[in-house]
């Protein structure tokens, strides 16, 4: 099967051939297909049934004539099915961390599991360990992060990790500085996480910085004023319990993001809505995948289209198109 086929979505070549046949010949009767494709009726019937189950084919009249789903609708459905299957597989894999304990038991007392404190040197090692801890988190992630803004690079790096955890059902409780809501891209990112299920609170009076994973591992910086120096990672110790107690104290004193949004860093929804070509570009940017398609839809050049997109992102203070769409919705522009 070539790389442009549908096997990546779990549709075998024989079933794809049937779907393509109905795209070329909509309304063909199912009982005529084996003769047309020179295949066995029983096999053809099973393949048609599976394609109907996937929503790629459907019968519209008593004569059992078969019609295909629109390719865009069909592929979108296959993507959803595939992503759901992959999500379940990720949950199964990441839920098997107990296997590590069994493997460690084979080592006996020669290499005991970490029980004390590790010192991580430099940001690269810290980021690598955070990626590991987040990937294997099963229940809960607690964090206090007193940043005042996140760079576009930080958001781009954090988003897939955070959203992946939330999709797996991991609870996220995060306390951030209220000053972060004054930065539009950062505020939009925090609200995006909240919309996906994260519990976020804000506070104006903390300088603490900490991360706790599944109440088993706690990460704190060596120097809160200079995180580039590295961090300490505690495993299953009294220090972890103390860090959790500190987090709960900060959490109890903080305000919910939704309530804080009413007075801190509130988006100016009274700003005038864009009109004319700018609004059309905004709508196209949020609904059309490629710039070429958006430009063709609006009847402008790709260069002009991209210039309008860049201007809109700058006006909204967005670091990405996804953030621009979120901010535009908050302003009531779309």
């Amino acid at each position: 099967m070539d790389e442009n086929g549908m096997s990546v979505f779990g549709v075998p070549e024989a079933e794809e051939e049937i779907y393509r046949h109905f795209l070329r010949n909509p309304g063909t009767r199912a009982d005529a297909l084996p003769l047309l494709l020179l295949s066995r009726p029983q096999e053809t019937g099973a393949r048609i049934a599976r394609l109907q189950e996937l929503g790629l084919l459907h019968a519209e009249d008593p004569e059992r004539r078969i019609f295909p789903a629109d390719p865009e609708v069909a592929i979108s459905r296959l993507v959803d099915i595939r992503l759901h299957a992959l999500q379940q597989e990720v949950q199964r894999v990441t839920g098997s961390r107990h296997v590590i304990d069994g493997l460690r038991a084979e080592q006996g007392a020669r290499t005991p599991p970490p029980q004390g404190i590790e010192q991580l040197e430099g940001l690269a090692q810290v980021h690598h360990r955070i990626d590991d801890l987040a990937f294997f988190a099963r229940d809960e992630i607690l964090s206090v992060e007193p940043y005042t803004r996140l760079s576009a690079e930080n958001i781009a790096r954090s988003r897939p990790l955070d959203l992946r955890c939330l999709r797996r059902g991991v609870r996220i409780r995060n306390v951030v500085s209220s000053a972060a809501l004054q930065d539009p891209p950062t505020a939009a990112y925090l609200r995006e996480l909240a919309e996906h299920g994260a519990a976020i609170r804000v506070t104006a009076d903390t300088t603490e910085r900490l991360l706790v994973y599944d109440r088993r591992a706690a990460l704190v910086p060596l120097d809160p004023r200079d995180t580039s120096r590295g961090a300490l990672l505690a495993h299953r110790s009294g220090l972890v319990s103390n860090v959790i107690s500190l987090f709960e104290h900060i959490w109890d004193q903080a305000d919910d993001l939704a309530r804080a949004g009413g007075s801190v860093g509130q988006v100016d929804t009274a700003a005038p809505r864009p009109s004319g070509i700018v609004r059309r570009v905004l709508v196209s940017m949020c609904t059309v995948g490629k710039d070429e398609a958006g430009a063709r839809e609006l009847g402008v050049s790709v260069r002009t289209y991209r210039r309008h997109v860049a201007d809109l992102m700058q006006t909204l203070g967005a670091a990405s198109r996804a953030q621009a769409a979120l901010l535009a919705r908050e302003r009531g522009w779309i």
Side-chain angles (χ1 to χ4, degrees), residues 142 210 212 215 238-252:
L142 313 175
L210 59 90
V212 182
R215 298 181 175 260
L239 178 57
V240 175
S241 298
N242 289 333
V243 172
I244 292 174
S245 296
L246 175 59
F247 169 83
E248 296 292 357
H249 174 75
I250 297 172
W251 178 263
D252 289 341

Side-chain angles (χ1 to χ4, degrees), residues 148-161:
T148 57
R149 65 178 297 273
L150 289 172
S151 67
E153 293 76 14
N154 282 335
I155 293 174
R157 181 182 178 278
S158 299
R159 174 183 281 109
L161 290 173

Side-chain angles (χ1 to χ4, degrees), residues 34-246:
L35 182 61
L36 292 172
L37 298 181
L38 302 178
S39 59
R40 296 178 180 177
Q42 187 173 1
E43 293 177 352
T44 302
R47 288 165 181 160
I48 290 176
R50 183 169 186 274
L51 289 170
Q52 289 178 314
E53 185 178 317
L54 291 173
L56 272 65
L57 298 177
H58 59 275
E60 289 189 356
D61 54 41
E63 296 181 4
R64 301 297 296 168
R65 293 190 300 160
I66 305 295
F67 293 86
D70 179 81
E72 184 172 351
V73 174
I75 294 301
S76 296
R77 180 173 174 80
L78 291 174
V79 168
D80 288 341
I81 293 172
R82 184 63 173 156
L83 288 177
H84 178 69
L86 290 174
Q87 179 183 346
Q88 290 184 317
E89 180 67 8
V90 167
Q91 289 176 333
R92 186 185 70 81
V93 172
T94 56
S96 302
R97 190 170 173 79
H98 64 276
V99 174
I100 296 175
D101 295 331
L103 296 175
R104 288 194 183 281
E106 299 293 335
Q107 293 180 300
R110 290 176 299 169
T111 311
Q115 298 289 339
I117 300 176
E118 295 180 69
Q119 181 167 330
L120 308 178
E121 303 289 347
L123 284 178
Q125 189 175 7
V126 172
H127 287 162
H128 179 72
R129 187 58 63 89
I130 286 175
D131 289 348
D132 284 345
L133 291 167
F135 185 84
F136 285 108
R138 297 174 59 186
D139 301 312
E140 185 179 51
I141 299 175
L142 313 175
S143 64
V144 177
E145 301 173 277
Y147 54 75
T148 57
R149 65 178 297 273
L150 289 172
S151 67
E153 293 76 14
N154 282 335
I155 293 174
R157 181 182 178 278
S158 299
R159 174 183 281 109
L161 290 173
D162 291 336
L163 295 182
R164 183 177 62 195
C165 286
L166 291 168
R167 285 195 297 268
R168 294 204 324 262
V170 177
R171 297 186 302 275
I172 290 181
R173 287 198 288 157
N174 188 9
V175 180
V176 301
S177 169
S178 56
L181 298 187
Q182 302 292 348
D183 180 62
T186 303
Y189 174 57
L190 293 172
R191 293 189 179 99
E192 179 184 3
L193 293 182
E195 288 178 356
H196 283 82
I200 298 177
R201 293 188 178 183
V202 299
T203 181
D205 58 359
T206 185
T207 58
E208 302 292 344
R209 187 185 299 269
L210 59 90
L211 282 163
V212 182
Y213 296 89
D214 290 338
R215 298 181 175 260
R216 295 158 59 95
L219 192 74
V220 295
L222 285 172
D223 182 353
R225 296 167 297 182
D226 183 7
T227 56
S228 64
R229 290 185 55 194
L232 295 176
L233 178 60
H235 302 273
R236 306 182 190 177
S237 67
L239 178 57
V240 175
S241 298
N242 289 333
V243 172
I244 292 174
S245 296
L246 175 59

